[in-house]
Amino acid sequence: AFVLMEKQSSGINAEYGGSEVAIIYFRTHWNESHYSTEEHWTTRLQIEQSRAVVVPNIRHQVLNLKLFQQAFLNPGVVERYLNAGDAAKVRSVFAQLRQLSPGAEGDRAAQLAFNDPSGWVLKPSREGGGNNFWDDEMLEKLRELERSDKREAFVLMEKLRPPHIPNRVVRNRPNSSPELTDIFDTTGELGLFCVFVADSQGKVVMNEVAGPLMRTKPAACNEGGVAIGIGVMDSVVFDRD
């Protein structure tokens, strides 16, 4: 483990084996269960205050929360960063998000799911996939949370309906040879690797797209995690026309 040491001239340095740590990359501490003691919170604060490059820093991490994503639906937010034409294109592919905070607004949002269970998915407002509730399971969870303050930790998201593409995938099972599956309906999720570097004063040093990431899963599956064996890594070809 590294040691955080106070230095009068340059603030807090993160050190390991007597050398200063330049980059701290988080493989864990992505949700509240990873901060089980006050010491965990104190350590995270010291990391954020250190001279090390933190990946991600706390500001970038909280942007992955669904409540922050919902803020981009508000009028004028996207337009702060894009011109009107580009903002309209981005907004055209936004899914609707509804807060479930206690009160009349949250109750109206929940009623949308009861009126159309197949049109919505219940998601915890935190980073990462999984832990979602669909269809009857979603309705059961909403009934459970109806009079609870815990409901505000979730959001309702409009269910996406991507096109189904006939495809086949290669599965590499443990202790066996790769297998080519039969053709079945799949859906894909396109992501982008991006590089963003800024200094402590907020000046952007680099902000570039580094390449695409395509994940493909069976169309019949709601979840699509690669790590849990449902989705697979895929390739994508861009058509400039």
Side-chain angles (χ1 to χ4, degrees):
F2 59 82
V3 178
L4 295 165
M5 301 182 66
E6 189 79 24
K7 285 192 176 182
Q8 295 181 355
S9 60
S10 59
I12 299 174
N13 281 5
E15 298 192 356
Y16 179 81
S19 300
E20 183 177 0
V21 175
I23 299 175
I24 298 174
Y25 175 74
F26 283 99
R27 291 288 293 174
T28 182
H29 287 74
W30 288 90
N31 63 59
E32 68 280 2
S33 65
H34 297 153
Y35 297 87
S36 57
T37 69
E38 191 64 30
E39 184 179 6
H40 291 151
W41 290 106
T42 299
T43 300
R44 180 61 189 266
L45 176 61
Q46 291 178 320
I47 288 173
E48 294 294 330
Q49 294 174 332
S50 75
R51 288 166 19 110
V53 175
V54 182
V55 185
N57 65 38
I58 192 65
R59 289 172 293 181
H60 293 160
Q61 191 169 352
V62 298
L63 280 174
N64 283 292
L65 299 179
K66 300 298 185 294
L67 292 179
F68 280 86
Q69 294 175 17
Q70 186 181 22
F72 283 93
L73 296 174
N74 295 334
V77 176
V78 175
E79 288 74 12
R80 290 177 58 187
Y81 308 99
L82 300 173
N83 62 48
D86 288 342
K89 292 178 182 177
V90 170
R91 286 190 177 279
S92 71
V93 295
F94 276 3
Q96 293 298 307
L97 290 169
R98 294 287 188 270
Q99 288 188 3
L100 290 167
S101 53
E105 183 180 354
D107 291 343
R108 286 193 293 269
Q111 190 59 46
L112 291 173
F114 285 105
N115 293 342
D116 182 18
S118 65
W120 299 87
V121 54
L122 182 65
K123 294 189 171 188
S125 179
R126 69 185 198 191
E127 196 281 333
N131 305 295
N132 300 322
F133 297 89
W134 312 77
D135 303 318
D136 290 342
E137 188 181 24
M138 173 185 65
L139 301 184
E140 181 180 348
K141 187 66 176 179
L142 285 171
R143 294 188 186 99
E144 175 188 326
L145 297 170
E146 185 175 5
R147 302 302 176 194
S148 172
D149 290 341
K150 294 181 179 179
R151 192 177 72 173
E152 64 183 347
F154 294 82
V155 298
L156 273 179
M157 178 178 171
E158 179 186 5
K159 190 174 181 180
L160 302 178
R161 302 188 184 280
H164 292 190
I165 307 297
N167 207 340
R168 60 201 313 171
V169 303
V170 177
R171 296 279 187 190
N172 191 10
R173 307 292 185 184
N175 303 316
S176 64
S177 300
E179 300 175 359
L180 183 63
T181 69
D182 294 332
I183 295 176
F184 59 92
D185 280 350
T186 67
T187 60
E189 179 181 331
L190 176 65
L192 295 174
F193 289 108
C194 297
V195 180
F196 182 87
V197 181
D199 64 19
S200 60
Q201 305 304 313
K203 179 182 177 181
V204 177
V205 178
M206 180 182 295
N207 185 11
E208 299 178 0
V209 175
L213 169 67
M214 190 71 178
R215 289 172 291 190
T216 294
K217 71 179 184 69
C221 295
N222 285 325
E223 301 290 358
V226 174
I228 59 177
I230 297 177
V232 296
M233 306 303 296
D234 207 340
S235 301
V236 59
V237 176
F238 291 100
D239 186 350
R240 294 186 180 276
D241 296 332

